[in-house]
Amino acid sequence: MKTTPSATRHDTLLAELMRHSLCHEEQNLPPLVINLRDHSPMVLIAEGTSEMGDDLTSESPRHTVHLDTYYIGIYTVTNRQYKAFIDETGHRPPSQGAWIDAVSVWRDDQYPAEYADHPVVCVSWDDANAYAEWAGCRLPTEAEWEKAARGPQGYLYPWGDAWDETRCQNRDHRTGEPTCPVYAMPEGVSGYGTFNQSGNVCEWCADREGEAYPPGGVRENPSGPSTGSLRHDRGSCWRYGDPVAFRASTRSTSIASALNDFRGFRLVKPIHKKE
């Protein structure tokens, strides 16, 4: 496939980030690292407590969580990255959607060059989880995803507390194609530096559906129930327009086998403390 100007710029950026990134050392963690397996730039989210939920709906009462340190992908996983994964592993290409109108840009195991930096879609939870394991990472928990999306300030949306349709890819504001490149919409970046955690595509999380938030207290590294057929996704997408859906605290679920053109994923790299 040919290389587009935008892809060239993005490759140059990744090369520069990698040049300045260091392998993390205990108690001396760099704010940015590159996951060497798939070249995902990842930002540090330091250990600490944060608010989860916003009391605006019954599904998301406000409460406190404590999370250990982790790195989270600045961007969702792209078609370019997913191509490397299927080439190496022989995993199913994302060339088919679940609905008649769920259109994949992939044809067999190829995608158009202009979509190289768009988020990969038409991936099931199992597909996303398989990629994460291949990349030496995992999918984010709901709590990890929400903390990154709300930023250090704990905003309702990544950019602030007021809805602004121009800051994300949604039904009423699109940059041409249904999805946009993962590094587009810088106006909607979170306080931690993550892109498109509101809009563009919904994102699979690790958690199963079924966990009710507690009325008080502090939850330690919550990860959801151990059983259940539905998986959570977060962030809303280009198909939707209701501002409520784009809040960082909005919870959605889907069957794990769902293959939709509005859902992708990003990675988390946990930092394990030395005993």
Side-chain angles (χ1 to χ4, degrees):
M1 289 177 290
K2 66 180 181 179
T3 302
T4 64
S6 63
T8 300
R9 287 194 299 271
H10 195 232
D11 284 347
T12 302
L13 172 62
L14 287 181
E16 185 67 9
L17 290 176
M18 187 175 291
R19 188 172 71 84
H20 287 289
S21 296
L22 304 172
C23 294
H24 76 266
E25 298 176 2
E26 194 69 22
Q27 307 303 322
N28 185 26
L29 300 172
L32 178 74
V33 296
I34 300 294
N35 185 48
L36 296 181
R37 188 63 186 270
D38 75 339
H39 291 186
S40 286
M42 309 187 84
V43 66
L44 180 72
I45 310 292
E47 177 183 9
T49 58
S50 60
E51 277 196 344
M52 192 173 179
D54 54 23
D55 284 338
L56 296 181
T57 61
S58 59
E59 68 178 8
S60 57
R62 186 176 297 163
H63 63 288
T64 300
V65 295
H66 181 275
L67 298 178
D68 292 338
T69 299
Y70 61 99
Y71 285 98
I72 191 167
I74 292 175
Y75 311 125
T76 51
V77 171
T78 66
N79 288 312
R80 179 205 306 273
Q81 292 173 299
Y82 205 82
K83 170 67 171 166
F85 163 62
I86 65 173
D87 284 350
E88 182 173 322
T89 65
H91 195 88
R92 179 196 75 85
S95 55
Q96 184 177 0
W99 303 344
I100 293 175
D101 65 342
V103 179
S104 174
V105 299
W106 287 64
R107 296 295 176 266
D108 297 323
D109 62 349
Q110 302 291 328
Y111 60 85
E114 59 269 27
Y115 285 91
D117 296 327
H118 284 238
V120 64
V121 295
C122 294
V123 289
S124 69
W125 187 92
D126 289 326
D127 292 333
N129 189 59
Y131 179 99
E133 291 182 350
W134 169 81
C137 299
R138 61 169 172 76
L139 298 177
T141 65
E142 280 197 279
E144 290 167 339
W145 191 98
E146 185 173 328
K147 180 176 180 178
R150 298 182 72 167
Q153 307 90 339
Y155 288 142
L156 290 181
Y157 302 96
W159 57 81
D161 288 329
W163 169 244
D164 184 345
E165 69 176 30
T166 68
R167 291 178 181 264
C168 66
Q169 186 88 339
N170 59 78
R171 185 182 63 203
D172 301 316
H173 180 264
R174 295 185 194 169
T175 57
E177 301 293 335
T179 60
C180 63
V182 296
Y183 47 79
M185 298 290 181
E187 302 85 358
V189 70
S190 79
Y192 283 118
T194 54
F195 281 63
N196 291 292
Q197 283 202 264
S198 185
N200 207 16
V201 294
C202 302
E203 300 177 24
W204 285 117
C205 289
D207 309 49
R208 288 182 168 90
E209 186 266 349
E211 183 173 42
Y213 292 164
V218 178
R219 293 197 299 162
E220 294 281 342
N221 297 306
S223 58
S226 59
T227 60
S229 59
L230 300 179
R231 294 283 184 172
H232 278 285
D233 61 67
R234 292 295 196 105
S236 201
C237 66
W238 62 268
R239 280 187 178 271
Y240 301 163
D242 183 355
V244 172
F246 293 84
R247 292 166 23 250
S249 296
T250 296
R251 307 176 80 192
S252 301
T253 57
S254 184
I255 59 173
S257 60
L259 301 172
N260 301 117
D261 58 5
F262 55 79
R263 189 180 294 108
F265 64 99
R266 75 179 66 216
L267 302 178
V268 152
K269 187 85 168 178
I271 301 299
H272 300 290
K273 295 180 180 179
K274 293 181 180 179
E275 298 296 334

